[in-house]
Amino acid sequence: DNKIMGMENAMVALADKYYLSGEAFWASDDFLEKLKKHVEQIRPTLIGKTAHNLFMESITGEYFKLHEINAPITILIFYEPSCGHCKKEIPLIYNDVFLKYRDQGLKAFVVYSMNDKKEWEEFINEHELYDWINVYDPYHETNFRYHFDIRATPTIFILDKDKNIIAKRLDVNQIANFVEHKLKNQ
């Protein structure tokens, strides 16, 4: 729900207005430095921000731009096949969310966060994730970890037609409910 996800926006606004502006005379330099770093990490991924436009290579060697995806809703996923949560959640998102709503225009831009192409290909084939836009950054050119504050996988964002972040860090059930609600009310 946006009210809860939007709490990060409130935290950043308070940090900017009071702490990082110098008004918080009671805060230690160490605290302010840590707060500043944290705010800068999450600022690009706040609800309402436009997602950074990734230009990435697909498993077939084609290149795709995130912002060129024409869809009412795009699920943006960062994962690695060796992560326990990913092994469980990625196939569920594909089967329980993507396949259910793709006829309503749902698309998925799915980023393999490592660069072992064999591991990646095996995971895609094992789970038949063929209708996703499966991409990666083999030469570390996109800086996606910075732009999307990737500290763990899977990391998931829901984007609107203009590629604005409308939800993030949801679990599979929340994704399904959120996507269904957004597609019904567009």
Side-chain angles (χ1 to χ4, degrees):
D1 175 295
N2 263 2
K3 290 183 185 82
I4 294 168
M5 286 186 289
M7 291 308 288
E8 269 186 354
N9 294 50
M11 188 275 292
V12 169
L14 290 169
D16 285 341
K17 183 170 167 79
Y18 297 106
Y19 289 89
L20 303 178
S21 68
E23 282 187 41
F25 57 86
W26 60 87
S28 71
D29 289 345
D30 183 47
F31 173 82
L32 291 172
E33 197 48 48
K34 285 180 180 155
L35 179 64
K36 181 178 181 194
K37 186 175 185 220
H38 180 64
V39 164
E40 292 315 311
Q41 285 174 318
I42 64 173
R43 191 184 303 277
T45 67
L46 292 174
I47 301 294
K49 290 273 188 188
T50 301
H52 181 77
N53 190 13
L54 294 171
F55 181 61
M56 300 182 100
E57 187 177 343
S58 74
I59 195 124
T60 58
E62 296 170 271
Y63 282 83
F64 290 91
K65 276 188 182 156
L66 176 60
H67 286 208
E68 288 180 356
I69 296 170
N70 184 10
I73 294 182
T74 303
I75 301 176
L76 172 61
I77 302 171
F78 298 88
Y79 81 100
E80 51 193 78
S82 57
C83 129
H85 288 297
C86 299
K87 283 180 184 163
K88 197 179 90 195
E89 292 207 0
I90 298 303
L92 284 175
I93 294 168
Y94 188 85
N95 292 307
D96 297 355
V97 182
F98 177 73
L99 291 180
K100 187 173 176 184
Y101 298 106
R102 70 174 173 189
D103 291 345
Q104 293 174 54
L106 179 68
K107 298 242 171 91
F109 192 89
V110 184
V111 179
Y112 166 58
S113 63
M114 307 308 276
N115 59 7
D116 176 349
K117 195 168 181 187
K118 186 175 183 292
E119 172 194 57
W120 184 34
E121 226 162 345
E122 286 171 0
F123 188 81
I124 288 171
N125 290 332
E126 179 188 347
H127 299 288
E128 300 180 7
L129 310 173
Y130 302 126
D131 292 329
W132 275 354
I133 299 166
N134 291 295
V135 293
Y136 76 141
D137 185 12
Y139 309 110
H140 310 286
E141 297 169 315
T142 66
N143 212 2
F144 69 85
R145 287 181 192 281
Y146 166 78
H147 291 295
F148 291 94
D149 189 29
I150 308 298
R151 287 180 258 159
T153 54
T155 298
I156 299 162
F157 296 90
I158 311 289
L159 311 177
D160 68 11
K161 66 179 175 39
D162 300 315
K163 304 304 171 265
N164 296 315
I165 298 168
I166 55 174
K168 65 184 195 174
R169 303 187 196 284
L170 302 173
D171 68 28
V172 178
N173 292 334
Q174 292 169 321
I175 293 168
N177 292 336
F178 190 87
V179 166
E180 181 172 355
H181 173 75
K182 284 295 178 188
L183 287 170
K184 267 186 192 158
N185 296 297
Q186 57 182 350

